[in-house]
Every structure is written in structure tokens, then in C-alpha cells.
Amino acid sequence: MFKVLIIDDEKDICFLISEILKDEKYMTFTAQNSDEAISSFNKNKPDLVILDVWLSNSKLDGIEILKEFKNINKNIPVIIISGHGTVDLAVSAIKNGAYDFLEKPFKSERLILLVDKAIKERNLKIKVLDFESKENERI
């Protein structure tokens, strides 16, 4: 079962996304600010992160959290979500390593499609890295 960390300062959004993904057989964890997010990321080792850009009552914003996660695990797919999306924000998120950018409100089908695709690509990347390391050991 794949694990997804959902980070949004709105508990209702966390709950909604969590329920959608649980129906798809994902295990979910939620956080409302950067401290909770980083703690949960380190403790639960998610396979994917869904991260809101704007987090009230948080030391770090979504882009800063994205950078933290990428420093810990450069292969973690992070889907950025925002209710106030701009092209500049989306470009900044992608440049900083986000897998994709999703503007709120979004259709649950679009979210599921993105999550499934990101997990598949992550798994493929892990297999390639594993294969390459085994090849290097043989040489």
C-alpha cells in the first residue's frame, strides 16, 4: 500500500483528499503546517506528497517545504496544489522539483490520475536506480 502525505492548512481539504485517496487504496497522513509536515515526512516516509503552497500559521511556505523534502529525498514526487495559482507560481514549483501543479478546486479524477502517474514514475525510477547500482557492483 502506497503512502501519501497531504499538507494543507485547511483541515477540510486534507480530509477530502484523504478520503478520495483512501477509496483508491492509498494510506494517507495529513499535516497543517511546515513543522507537522516535516515531522510526518521523516516519520512516515511517504511515497508521494500533496502540498498546498500557501500555509497560514506555518514557518515555511509550500515551496520552501518542497525544497526541504527534495533535500531529504530527491526522488519523492510532490504535487503542488493552490487555490491562488498563477503561471509564475506553477513554474517556480516545477523548477524546484514539483512533479506537477494542480489548481483548486480540482476534479477528484484529475487528482487520482496524477497520483497514480506520479507513483508509477517513482517506482520506475527506483527500479532503474536499483538496476544501475547492481550493474555498478558487477563491474
Side-chain angles (χ1 to χ4, degrees), residues 2-93:
F2 294 108
K3 300 181 283 186
V4 179
L5 174 57
I6 304 158
I7 306 156
D8 196 304
D9 57 335
E10 296 178 55
K11 286 186 180 184
D12 291 349
I13 299 288
C14 285
F15 178 77
L16 176 69
I17 294 171
S18 183
E19 290 301 304
I20 291 168
L21 294 179
K22 283 179 184 175
D23 285 347
E24 298 297 314
K25 308 297 184 238
Y26 288 99
M27 180 184 296
T28 63
F29 306 93
T30 62
Q32 272 77 53
N33 60 51
S34 58
D35 288 343
E36 289 177 16
I38 292 167
S39 174
S40 182
F41 186 86
N42 289 323
K43 176 183 169 195
N44 297 307
K45 308 282 189 244
D47 299 297
L48 175 119
V49 175
I50 298 173
L51 173 60
D52 189 10
V53 173
W54 308 116
L55 300 170
S56 59
N57 302 316
S58 183
K59 293 177 190 168
L60 306 175
D61 68 23
I63 300 295
E64 293 167 320
I65 296 170
L66 169 64
K67 290 176 185 176
E68 281 288 315
F69 290 166
K70 287 296 183 172
N71 283 335
I72 297 168
N73 177 356
K74 68 179 180 184
N75 294 315
I76 188 78
V78 179
I79 297 171
I80 298 288
I81 58 174
S82 178
H84 312 285
T86 64
V87 172
D88 288 343
L89 183 58
V91 168
S92 175

